[in-house]
Amino acid sequence: MITRHFIDVESNGNRRRVHYRRAGNGPVLLMVHQSPRSSKEYEALIEKWSQHFTCIAPDTPGFGQSDALPGEPEINEYADAIIGFLDAVGIEKCAAYGFHSGGIILVTALKRHPNRFSTLAVGGYAIWTPEEVSLFSDSYLPEFHPSAYGEHLTWLWNRILEQSWFFPWFAANDGSRLPGAHDDPVRVDAIVREMLDAGNAYQTGYGAVLRAPRDIPDADADVPPCLISAYNGDPLQDHIARLGEMPKSWSAQKVATPDEHQAVSLAHLLKTDNPALPPLNEAQDEGFLPIETARFSGLIHWKGARDADKLLLHAPAAAIGASVPQGSIAIDLPGHGLSGDWTGQAPTDWADWQEVIDAVAAQFGIHAIVTPSVPSGDPDSLYPDLSPDRYGNYLSKAWQIVRASEIFEPWYKAGKDNTRAFKPEVLDPAALAKRHLDLLNARSAREYHLALQSR
């Protein structure tokens, strides 16, 4: 089972929270994702490689559920942030794997802190020409901010969709076509959600990678071994020829498929004697509880004080807020926020929801549970289907719902008899963006509403 955790990393008087995934037994394998993704992209790979390693995959700063770095950091700061994460969780030395920008961060970290790594495997290592760097800096990373009526979502959908059609994504011409083009809404949606998590922080993190010097360690450098490989269809496969002379313990090769890339990477990582797993640290005021009931088996996200005397439940289609009142713990209910989904169809019987809630309360020794009131309106109308579609219409649909819900109650009855008082600041695009993501992540909102009604 992949578990999820938070840890606080402190450096230069700054404290930031880092989210990471973990699974397996044995020596540690640090896994650093590409931009603008998160550690979620490694879930399938973690399941496979956890047979050999304890896989530890953090969200890099500003991506997924990790806080961004302060100021305008460059690649050295992102590399040092990885070392800071290792320090915080208590790992002195480990093997590591990174794909694309994850590899750039790791190679930089290895050059700066060679004694912290036993071996490294990289999927695709970019060696840009000055002309390519100039092209990317001008067009590849535009500002990404929410707009009042959700116009940013149309751009986002098409930008992510077409990055599998052309490289770079904005070069819509025959010469830039990619062989693996697709229009799978589920695959596009996965990356869209991670961009929504990152917001404009994607520009900082991704930009630092694109601007990073592409200098492989000198041929006589005393550094841990590294394998760089890239498969057919990877835009970075041609960059294998650009690597130049490398240290004797380093090698690079072209492979045919993503599976072959993973196979040669794993074989390389297993060649080295890697340190055993130490006890790992995690945050004490936020995390994930493994919960098992008749209808639910998964992780429940929680935040607050471990000695709390109240357990707070959110409303349907919501999630844990940015802060939790003193003396309380808040949770994301199943099918909401960062918590796992129900096994099969979400239940509409309150007893099933209560069983999960009681299991969480028991782990914290809490007896007082604060339940929200039932929202007004018809559940089928309040929570329409928001499954990803080929054209990304579900994103704009969800945005219109959260905007209208601040003005009318219920949101789908826009009339004088359904107006609700509001302050203009609740329509600020940044405020709407949080609620928009909560709604997209509310996979069981309708069923939760019905369960509340049945109490």
Side-chain angles (χ1 to χ4, degrees):
M1 178 183 184
I2 298 175
T3 58
R4 300 173 65 180
H5 312 264
F6 290 95
I7 189 70
D8 289 329
V9 177
E10 296 193 40
S11 61
N12 301 320
N14 174 66
R15 174 183 290 186
R16 59 186 177 84
R17 180 142 292 186
V18 177
H19 168 255
Y20 65 98
R21 286 173 164 84
R22 172 185 173 181
N25 295 289
V28 174
L29 174 64
L30 175 69
M31 304 175 72
V32 181
H33 62 83
Q34 64 182 319
S35 302
R37 304 297 305 274
S38 75
S39 60
K40 183 175 177 61
E41 77 159 327
Y42 281 150
E43 284 185 335
L45 191 56
I46 289 172
E47 293 282 5
K48 292 167 59 176
W49 286 3
S50 61
Q51 301 173 43
H52 309 279
F53 295 98
T54 298
C55 298
I56 306 288
D59 294 343
T60 56
F63 297 101
Q65 306 305 315
S66 289
D67 293 341
L69 293 172
E72 298 180 1
E74 293 294 347
I75 194 63
N76 286 348
E77 283 76 28
Y78 283 90
D80 290 348
I82 287 294
I83 302 303
F85 167 75
L86 293 179
D87 289 340
V89 294
I91 297 171
E92 293 186 6
K93 190 173 186 178
C94 64
Y97 168 80
F99 188 80
H100 282 206
S101 45
I104 299 294
I105 293 171
L106 280 173
V107 168
T108 305
L110 180 142
K111 290 187 295 184
R112 292 171 65 80
H113 310 275
N115 61 320
R116 302 302 296 270
F117 300 97
S118 56
T119 188
L120 183 63
V122 171
Y125 190 87
I127 305 288
W128 305 119
T129 65
E131 294 75 20
E132 288 168 339
V133 170
S134 176
L135 176 66
F136 289 152
S137 64
D138 291 341
S139 305
Y140 200 78
L141 300 173
E143 293 272 334
F144 178 61
H145 301 285
S147 51
Y149 300 102
E151 303 94 323
H152 62 294
L153 299 168
T154 299
W155 173 83
L156 175 60
W157 177 266
N158 287 282
R159 182 256 185 267
I160 300 302
L161 173 69
E162 294 195 14
Q163 75 174 7
S164 79
W165 301 359
F166 307 104
F167 184 80
W169 64 269
F170 54 82
N173 58 69
D174 283 338
S176 300
R177 285 186 181 274
L178 291 172
H182 69 83
D183 60 0
D184 182 346
V186 175
R187 291 172 64 183
V188 178
D189 172 71
I191 305 176
V192 162
R193 288 172 187 264
E194 291 178 314
M195 276 286 287
L196 291 174
D197 274 330
N200 199 51
Y202 99 99
Q203 191 184 52
T204 305
Y206 211 166
V209 167
L210 290 176
R211 292 188 297 271
R214 295 308 195 266
D215 50 339
I216 297 296
D218 294 336
D220 59 353
D222 183 14
V223 290
C226 175
L227 169 67
I228 300 172
S229 61
Y231 52 81
N232 297 344
D234 183 341
L236 299 186
Q237 191 186 61
D238 290 343
H239 291 219
I240 294 288
R242 302 181 184 183
L243 292 171
E245 189 176 10
M246 298 187 295
K248 292 180 181 179
S249 62
W250 284 43
S251 60
Q253 66 183 99
K254 297 180 180 181
V255 296
T257 66
D259 285 345
E260 188 178 353
H261 155 68
Q262 292 179 8
V264 299
S265 295
L266 178 61
H268 170 81
L269 293 166
L270 290 172
K271 285 180 182 177
T272 302
D273 185 18
N274 295 297
L277 173 70
L280 298 183
N281 304 319
E282 61 180 307
Q284 296 300 301
D285 60 354
E286 184 178 13
F288 295 84
L289 292 178
I291 298 294
E292 296 279 343
T293 70
R295 297 291 302 275
F296 180 82
S297 177
L299 300 177
I300 294 293
H301 176 220
W302 65 274
K303 182 190 290 187
R306 284 184 175 271
D307 60 351
D309 54 16
K310 286 190 296 187
L311 180 63
L312 308 181
L313 307 182
H314 57 73
I320 295 175
S323 61
V324 176
Q326 189 173 0
S328 302
I329 278 180
I331 63 172
D332 287 336
L333 286 161
H336 288 75
L338 302 181
S339 289
D341 286 322
W342 291 96
T343 302
Q345 179 64 36
T348 57
D349 185 344
W350 180 251
D352 293 311
W353 292 81
Q354 187 70 59
E355 191 175 2
V356 173
I357 295 163
D358 288 345
V360 173
Q363 292 208 32
F364 289 109
I366 294 175
H367 300 286
I369 298 171
V370 181
T371 306
S373 57
V374 181
S376 62
D378 170 52
D380 289 332
S381 299
L382 284 171
Y383 319 109
D385 180 26
L386 294 175
S387 300
D389 62 88
R390 163 62 176 77
Y391 304 102
N393 294 324
Y394 73 107
L395 295 171
S396 296
K397 185 177 182 180
W399 188 269
Q400 292 183 46
I401 289 172
V402 298
R403 185 178 175 90
S405 67
E406 297 290 357
I407 305 170
F408 302 102
E409 188 175 1
W411 69 264
Y412 56 85
K413 290 187 176 180
K416 62 182 180 63
D417 296 331
N418 299 92
T419 59
R420 58 178 296 190
F422 70 93
K423 296 180 179 179
E425 53 263 33
V426 301
L427 297 181
D428 177 77
L432 292 178
K434 167 65 169 65
R435 293 200 54 217
H436 178 254
L437 192 53
D438 285 348
L439 178 57
L440 290 176
N441 288 333
R443 291 88 61 196
S444 304
R446 173 183 170 276
E447 291 80 6
Y448 178 34
H449 182 117
L450 291 170
L452 282 170
Q453 281 185 329
S454 75
R455 292 178 70 231

